[in-house]
Amino acid sequence: MSLPNELVDSIVENLYSDRATLRNCALVGRAWVHYSQRGIFREIVLRLPISSEADYTTLSDVYLKVTGRLIALFDAKPHLATYVQSLALQKFMVPIPNQELHANFYITTASVKLYTATADVIQRLSSVKNLSFSSVYWDCIPPFFQATLSSLFRVPSLTQVSFAHFHIPTFLELASLLSDVKNLKVLKVEAKLLYTGVDDVPDDSILESEETPRSIQLTELELLEVHHFISWFQQDSCPFEVRHLQSLTVGGLDFLKTIALVQHVGRNLRELRLMNLQQIDLNNYLEYTPNLQVLHLGHLFQMDSSTPVPIIQSLFRPLLKQDGNEFPLQRLTIDLTILMRSNPLQIDHWDEWTAIDTLLLRPEFAPLKTVGFKLGPLAPYKGVVEFFSGKLPFLVGAGKLVVA
């Protein structure tokens, strides 16, 4: 008995993380081939071998064989290349002994072959939606490969770009690349961007874009430890409109600049993730997010001598001035890292969490459905989850508390 195509599609979609099974599914029958191939080629990760690795030669040979097979497949069956929706580029750099990254660098014949093979793969991809960079040194890759990567930013299907440890000479060059992504919806800067040249901030007189100001509508933005974007987004000539964001993640930024960004984009936010909060005076954040439904507080620390409870109280304090009006928040998640020298069950600071239990009992937070705590790895100390839950009796009784 044959299954409906919709059911086959649903089954295969749940196997996207298991390529071995997907390859077996492709052999089941003709109806399964299309859906299985779409899963197999959905994401490509290209990690360049590094010359300092002991088995560099072997890794390079394997890389060239794999990219060669991909090129042959895409040439023989061009529709397979259209299935590639996500492309991740990792470790694209040339080691430069005893030199600064922006100095002149050498490229060996072997590395040119690797970059050429990678470029040949990329040039066959026309439907990439998600592009991510990890440990990429823009000023240490050959010019022809820079041109190939630049062309990726102009692919019409591209809607999401992510950076993690991306090195580029100036912010202006990065801003220029991003301005070419006409349909960008999601921008994630998950770790530091490093500028190896002038630490510049674009202004209207320097950065020129062919794109109409505010014509690119971002819906999701993640910025960690990056200041330049905040200034750029508020400039009249910026091609990105961020005032209609649905989701924002910020962390590690200057406190005043972070507040300015939340104030600038907060009215339409449905989800806000605040990472590495350290300021006690947080009275301005949630006043600017009247439609917030999901709040995630990340990287808070419970220590022998301190607790993040005052930070959380300060964050919610402005909402208590609303004369009982409900705040629309439905889900609160707190990542709590416990750093203690002694047994955490013997620390007095746990008692302060009862204040959060009382706070969330107020009528302003009636829409709140779930309060989740992630306590991190605490295997040596049994009973921590139960002990912590005991400090939050209201949330437990209301069935709202989830502790893991």
Side-chain angles (χ1 to χ4, degrees), residues 119-308:
D120 288 343
V121 173
I122 292 174
Q123 289 165 359
R124 286 163 171 78
L125 306 180
S126 59
S127 303
V128 174
K129 296 181 179 179
N130 182 357
L131 175 62
S132 65
F133 298 91
S134 178
S135 296
V136 174
Y137 290 66
W138 187 263
D139 46 348
C140 294
I141 57 180
F144 78 87
F145 193 69
Q146 288 183 1
T148 299
L149 293 184
S150 297
S151 68
L152 271 176
F153 286 87
R154 294 189 289 272
V155 173
S157 59
L158 189 61
T159 58
Q160 177 171 329
V161 177
S162 304
F163 297 101
H165 298 290
F166 186 82
H167 299 241
I168 194 165
T170 66
F171 181 82
L172 291 177
E173 292 180 69
L174 179 63
S176 179
L177 288 172
L178 289 173
S179 296
D180 286 334
V181 191
K182 310 303 183 187
N183 298 306
L184 189 65
K185 299 297 181 185
V186 179
L187 174 61
K188 295 184 177 182
V189 182
E190 301 166 348
K192 285 185 178 180
L193 293 179
L194 299 179
Y195 312 114
T196 56
V198 178
D199 194 23
D200 53 358
V201 179
D203 59 41
D204 292 345
S205 63
I206 297 177
L207 182 61
E208 296 182 1
S209 173
E210 297 180 358
E211 193 64 24
T212 304
R214 310 297 178 194
S215 62
I216 303 175
Q217 302 282 329
L218 288 182
T219 59
E220 182 177 345
L221 176 64
E222 178 175 321
L223 294 180
L224 301 182
E225 301 190 41
V226 179
H227 300 255
H228 294 83
F229 282 101
I230 298 176
S231 300
W232 186 35
F233 287 150
Q234 297 184 50
Q235 292 173 3
D236 292 337
S237 64
C238 180
F240 292 104
E241 176 58 83
V242 295
R243 287 171 292 188
H244 303 297
L245 285 177
Q246 297 291 303
S247 176
L248 172 66
T249 299
V250 287
L253 300 169
D254 177 88
F255 173 65
L256 294 178
K257 288 188 176 182
T258 306
I259 286 290
L261 179 62
V262 174
Q263 181 179 10
H264 186 63
V265 307
R267 178 153 295 277
N268 293 301
L269 281 180
R270 296 297 185 269
E271 181 174 359
L272 176 63
R273 300 175 74 240
L274 299 173
M275 315 301 290
N276 299 313
L277 286 179
Q278 309 207 359
Q279 293 280 345
I280 297 298
D281 184 12
L282 303 174
N283 289 341
N284 294 321
Y285 275 111
L286 299 185
E287 285 186 310
Y288 303 128
T289 58
N291 298 300
L292 194 67
Q293 296 179 6
V294 178
L295 176 62
H296 187 149
L297 306 180
H299 301 160
L300 297 182
F301 296 92
Q302 178 84 12
M303 306 175 72
D304 288 294
S305 58
S306 64
T307 173

Side-chain angles (χ1 to χ4, degrees), residues 309 349-359 390-393:
V309 168
H349 283 293
W350 288 115
D351 292 334
E352 298 186 30
W353 284 97
T354 58
I356 301 301
D357 194 56
T358 303
L359 173 68
K391 304 299 179 181
L392 306 166

